[in-house]
Amino acid sequence: MSADLNPSAAVAGPAPSRWGAFGSVAFTVIWIASVLSNVGTAMFDTASGWLITSLDANPMIVSLVQVAVSLPLFLFTLPAGALADVIDSRRLLIAVELAILAVSVIFAGLVSLGLATPALLLATTFLLGVGGALTSPAWGATIPLLVPKEDLDSATALNGVGFNLGRAAGPALGGLVIAAMGVAVPFWVFAASNAVIVASLIWWRKPRKAAESLPAERLVSAVRAGVRHAANNPYLGATLIRVLAFFPFASAYLALLPLLARDQISGGPQTYGILLGAVGVGAVGGALALRWLKDELGPDRLVATGSVGAAFALVLFGVAREPIAAVCACLLAGASWTMVLSKLYVSAQVALPDWARGRGLAVFLSFIFGATTVGSAVWGKLSAMQGLPVAYFVAAAGVILGIPLTWRWKLQTGVGLDLSPVAHWREPIVRRTVENNQGPVLAVVEYRVEDKNRAEFLGAIDELGHARRRDGAYAWGLYEDVADAGRFIETFTIDSWLELMHERERVTNADEMLKSRIHRLLVEEPHITLSVSSERPHRHWRNNIGTTG
C-alpha cells in the first residue's frame, strides 16, 4: 500500500460494507500506517532533492537521484513480482521493511553528523529503491487479504487516496521542517514512519490460505514464464509501446525539479516542498477528473489529452521564473501524469489473465521505471550542456511526437476478451511416475486438415502458438508432412513436468475458443504425445594410456 500502483478491477459480489474497506480493522490499521509511511517517504524525497543540491549542484548529479530511485525498480520489480507469488507476502514485507528501517536510520545518523556525501546519498536512495521494488508487488498481493472481496474496490481506491495524500502533504511538511529544524529531521521522520509500518505488519495475522491444487512455481521458472507471457501478449505489448512514448520524456519534470526550485526561480526548501506538494495536489485532481473524462474520451484520447497536458506543463517549466508559474506547471504535470499512468495501468491489467497479473504488471512497471531511469539521466546531461529551458522544451516535443507515432497501438478496455481460466482440464495419461522437477517436456500434437481449410488452419494455429508461449511454452514450431498431405505436426517444449501442470491451468476461455475454432477445421481429433527428457547416467571417460614403470 506504499506504492501508487495497485490492481483496481471491479469485483462483483455481495453488497459492500457501509464503511467500505474501513469496515476491516486490519485494513484500517495498515492503511493509517501506510499513509504515515507515504508522508515520510515524500519528506525523504524532498530532503534528498534539497540535500543533493547543497552537496553538489551539478545538474547531472542532481538528476542521478531520480536515476537511483528508478533504476532498482527497473531491475528488481519483475523478480519481486514472481517472488510475491511463490513465498508468503507478509513475511517478505516484514523482512524488507526491517532492512529499509535499518538503512534509513544509518543514513539519518550520517546526515545529522554532517558526514553525508553525494555518493552516500545516491547509494542510500538506490538501496531504498531496491526495497521499494521488492515490496511493491507484495503490497499488491496483500490488499485482497485485508478486506472481503466485495470491498476490494473500496480498498484500492482508498489506497490511491492514501498515496496521493502523502504526495500532497509530505513535500510541504518536508520543506517547512528543513527550513525550521534542518535537513536531517525529514530523514529521521522517514525512519520512524517505516517503524510504524513494521509494527502494523507484525500485529496483522494473515488469514490461512486454502491448499493449492499444485505446488508453487519455482522462482526462476516463474520469472521466465512471466517474461514469455509478456513477450507474446500483443495487448500488453501495445500498452508497453505507449509507455515508451510518454515516460522517458515526462520524467524530465521530476528529475530537474530541485534545480528549477533552487536556480531558475531562486527559491528555498519551502519553495521546493510547495512545488512537490503541488504535484501531489495535481495528481489528486487528475484522479478526480478521470471519473468523468474516461467515459467522455475513451482510453486512447484520454492518454493523448494527458500527454498534451504534460507537454504544456514542461513548456511552463522551461519559461517559469516566478514560483506561481512553477506551481501551475506542477499542478498540471501531476494531473497529466496521473491520468496517463492510470489509463495505461488499467490497459495493462485487463490485458493479463489472473495467473500472470502480478508478473505482467511487474513487466509494465519495469518499463516505466526503465524509461524514467534513462530519461532522467538524459535530461540531467542535456540540462548540464544546454541549460534547463532547453531540456524542458526538448522533452515537451518528445511527448507531443509520441502521440501520432504510437496511435495505432490501441489501449485495452477488456471488452470482448475473456481471460478467465477455463477451470477444467484433463490430467495427462502417464504409465509411470513423473517427478515434478523432471524436464524439459516435449509436447507433440498431430493434426489432419482438409485442403480447403488449410489457409484458415495456418492462421489459427499461429495464434495458438502465441497462446502456448504466453502460457509458458518455448521452442514452438509447426511442420507439414511432405509425404502425407494435410498432416501437420505442432511441437513445443516446457521447462518441467510441474510447469506443464501449471501451463494447463493457465488456459483461458479465450484460448479455449481458439482451440474450438481449430478443431472445427480438422478431419479428426488431434493426437497429443507428451515426452519427458530421460535421465541418462554421466559417461566416465577413462585414460587408456598405460603408465610406464
Side-chain angles (χ1 to χ4, degrees), residues 416-466:
L417 188 64
D418 186 359
L419 298 180
S420 56
V422 174
H424 63 84
W425 48 276
R426 291 175 293 179
E427 289 277 358
I429 299 173
V430 295
R431 303 298 185 193
R432 64 180 180 84
T433 302
V434 182
E435 300 296 333
N436 283 335
N437 62 350
Q438 280 187 253
V441 179
L442 174 65
V444 179
V445 188
E446 180 181 341
Y447 303 95
R448 288 198 171 272
V449 185
E450 291 188 61
D451 186 61
K452 64 179 182 179
N453 295 328
R454 183 177 182 277
E456 187 178 353
F457 169 79
L458 290 175
I461 202 71
D462 186 60
E463 290 183 47
L464 182 61
H466 284 286

Side-chain angles (χ1 to χ4, degrees), residues 488-506:
F488 291 87
I489 303 294
E490 178 196 16
T491 66
F492 55 92
T493 309
I494 299 173
D495 284 332
S496 66
W497 189 257
L498 175 61
E499 185 65 14
L500 171 68
M501 298 297 102
H502 282 294
E503 189 268 348
R504 295 172 75 86
E505 283 194 336
R506 294 166 183 164

